[in-house]
Amino acid sequence: MSDLHEMTALEQAAAIARGELSPVELADHYLGRIEEADKELGAYLTVTAELARSQAERAEREAVAARRDGTRLGVLHGIPVPIKDLVQVEGVRCTWGSAVFADHVSDTDDHVAARLREAGTVMLGKTNTAEFGLPCYTENRLGPPTRHPLSPGRSPGGSSGGAAAAVAAGLAPLAHGTDAGGSVRIPASVCGLVGLKPSRGRISNGPWRPDVTGLSVHGALARTVADAAALVDVMAGPMPGDVYTAPGHPGGTTLLEHVRREPRALRVAVLRQPMVPDAVLHPDCEDALDSTAAALAALGHEVEELEMPPDGGVVEAFTRVWSVEAASYEVEPDREGELMPFTAWLREVAAGVSAREYQTALATFRGLGQMLTDLLFAAYDVILSPALAEPPVRIGELRDDSDPAAEFARMTAFMPYTGVYNLTGMPSITVPLSRNAGRLPIGVLLGARYADEALLVSLAAQLHQSATTY
């Protein structure tokens, strides 16, 4: 079947459950597409063909047994799911996007990798990422940059750019990503996908490199809200030793169940202007915001514009915490010179961050979350904003090896909307509803109260299904 990659992941899973599609056939289909197209695209850092076929064969045996015994398979059983190369998978190379770790092979699984394996998914490989997941592009010293499937001279965003490129190009039905400042939602928006960042603690961040700041979470990139929700469902759940855990969804249900429910009439706050000082909203992104606000009103939701003044203090706090994250990677002194200039600069910034400044920065995040909870979400159910301040940019446009401080400022102006949900731990999702005159995707961003992904995916699905112009 030449059109297998046109099916959604849930359609593929249903076909496997009925015996109409083999997980082996599906894995081979995607491995063939990767072999044919990824040399130019650069979506994968490591392709695990042998492992994928072994897992697919096991998934097929389990599917045959389930049909014989009348038991139900997992919601994504037999479905290929690549993993971003910031996550460890036992026996597989893990580079963290850095030439320093080009030859590192993991001797353990991170919890999210174990969850995906236990769910019967098939790992095609490890997707490309920016070094240590720090910048919002996907360019590193391991090889050529990852390219935008619709416009090869442009960046797919980052740091989960490899994951987004793989899904958008039909080299995977959906993909795992991580998001500490927008790294799932930025490339999803750029590549015309759904990008779901769940609440802090929804998916275990352990056991290796557990993020005590709470900024980074695992998330999902997919072509539909239902596929993204199903992948988060599969990855979710507390594990012993977790720093954060999120409460369950209403009624103990799954996110996928809420995707299939119409939301009630909601109060939607539209935040048009960036919270980052000096960031400028591009007309293409403003048009996408306006058309989405109109669509929400037509669906019966109450939509109201709000203003939140830019706050340079939040940017400063994020810079300090992010620099300490960059410095937390253990690099031998004689290999520091192999790091990207931006990474090296952040590590230098970290050397000047005192313990008191670090604690104050984390307290700033906590205060922002409390303010949104007590004030904005006391009056509104959902926040609508642009996903990004600009349309997709050209490869290299966000990067400035000669002046990493200027690079950081440039990236911050490009992505001034996504970070608030990492600072507060609240969930958010990008929805692909618009394209500009150049036919480049322009996403919008929805955010909700902490642990209210159920409401978020219900609304996102309603919006996505109502879109007729994308």
Side-chain angles (χ1 to χ4, degrees):
M1 295 173 65
S2 61
D3 59 350
L4 284 178
H5 57 277
E6 298 296 334
M7 301 169 68
T8 70
L10 289 172
E11 288 171 343
Q12 293 170 347
I16 288 171
R18 293 191 298 265
E20 298 168 0
L21 176 62
S22 160
V24 175
E25 177 187 10
L26 188 60
D28 281 339
H29 177 80
Y30 282 108
L31 289 169
R33 289 183 61 81
I34 293 167
E35 176 67 24
E36 178 182 345
D38 198 50
K39 288 182 178 65
E40 296 296 323
L41 190 65
Y44 287 85
L45 281 172
T46 302
V47 178
T48 53
E50 184 177 341
L51 175 61
R53 291 191 174 101
S54 173
Q55 291 179 335
E57 288 168 0
R58 177 179 176 179
E60 173 63 14
R61 291 193 297 270
E62 292 170 341
V64 170
R67 289 193 294 273
R68 182 188 64 234
D69 301 337
T71 56
R72 295 186 63 179
L73 297 168
V75 67
L76 292 178
H77 185 91
I79 301 305
V81 182
I83 296 177
K84 184 178 177 180
D85 203 25
L86 295 183
V87 169
Q88 296 209 75
V89 178
E90 184 178 359
V92 177
R93 185 174 77 137
C94 182
T95 70
W96 296 283
S98 177
V100 173
F101 297 102
D103 300 320
H104 173 79
V105 176
S106 300
D107 58 7
T108 187
D109 279 337
D110 276 318
H111 290 323
V112 69
R115 290 263 186 195
L116 286 167
R117 186 178 60 252
E118 291 162 2
T121 67
V122 173
M123 194 180 84
L124 296 171
K126 304 290 284 296
T127 54
N128 208 349
T129 177
E131 187 167 68
F132 302 159
L134 297 172
C136 63
Y137 51 74
T138 307
E139 302 162 36
N140 56 47
R141 289 180 170 169
L142 291 164
T146 304
R147 298 185 177 277
H148 196 299
L150 300 179
S151 181
R154 296 183 186 273
S155 170
S159 62
S160 303
V167 177
L171 309 189
L174 72 181
H176 158 275
T178 65
D179 190 316
S183 288
V184 161
R185 294 158 293 152
I186 293 165
S189 176
V190 168
C191 292
L193 303 172
V194 174
L196 176 55
K197 173 213 166 296
S199 294
R200 179 179 297 161
R202 179 69 62 203
I203 300 169
S204 174
N205 247 337
W208 197 86
R209 294 191 60 78
D211 180 12
V212 296
T213 69
L215 288 176
S216 183
V217 300
H218 299 281
L221 299 97
R223 288 184 292 143
T224 68
V225 179
D227 279 0
L231 182 52
V232 168
D233 281 337
V234 162
M235 296 188 292
M239 293 294 287
D242 281 352
V243 179
Y244 302 99
T245 56
H249 305 302
T253 54
T254 65
L255 276 186
L256 183 56
E257 290 177 83
H258 286 277
V259 167
R260 295 163 176 162
R261 298 179 182 179
E262 285 285 310
R264 57 181 169 80
L266 301 173
R267 298 162 296 171
V268 180
V270 178
L271 295 182
R272 183 178 303 270
Q273 296 305 316
M275 293 179 62
V276 171
D278 303 322
V280 178
L281 181 60
H282 191 280
D284 289 352
C285 302
E286 191 161 21
D287 288 346
L289 179 72
D290 289 337
S291 64
T292 304
L296 285 167
L299 289 167
H301 303 293
E302 181 183 340
V303 180
E304 183 177 339
E305 292 253 0
L306 280 188
E307 288 189 14
M308 291 184 66
D311 188 347
V314 172
V315 177
E316 182 178 336
F318 179 81
T319 305
R320 286 173 172 163
V321 173
W322 204 225
S323 72
V324 174
E325 170 64 15
S328 70
Y329 284 84
E330 296 183 10
V331 178
E332 295 295 330
D334 63 342
R335 303 202 67 177
E336 289 276 351
E338 298 176 48
L339 295 172
M340 298 283 286
F342 180 69
T343 304
W345 173 75
L346 276 178
R347 290 164 74 90
E348 291 172 4
V349 171
V353 176
S354 69
R356 178 166 292 185
E357 287 172 331
Y358 187 72
Q359 191 278 333
T360 299
L362 293 177
T364 298
F365 301 168
R366 179 70 179 83
L368 177 61
Q370 196 66 57
M371 183 272 290
L372 289 179
T373 299
D374 292 345
L375 299 179
L376 196 151
F377 283 119
Y380 299 94
D381 300 300
V382 172
I383 299 172
L384 167 68
S385 73
L388 297 167
E390 304 172 38
V393 298
R394 296 197 173 277
I395 289 172
E397 187 175 331
L398 297 176
R399 181 175 161 187
D400 188 346
D401 289 352
S402 66
D403 190 349
E407 175 178 319
F408 189 78
R410 177 71 182 88
M411 287 192 292
T412 303
F414 176 70
M415 45 161 283
Y417 298 97
T418 54
V420 64
Y421 299 102
N422 301 89
L423 308 186
T424 61
M426 296 172 178
S428 69
I429 188 170
T430 55
V431 190
L433 301 176
S434 302
R435 292 179 186 256
N436 65 8
R439 299 301 297 159
L440 294 173
I442 308 291
V444 293
L445 189 67
L446 298 172
R449 298 175 184 88
Y450 179 72
D452 207 358
E453 291 98 318
L455 178 72
L456 202 57
V457 298
S458 177
L459 178 61
Q462 184 190 46
L463 257 179
H464 203 203
Q465 291 162 6
S466 72
T468 57
T469 59
Y470 182 73

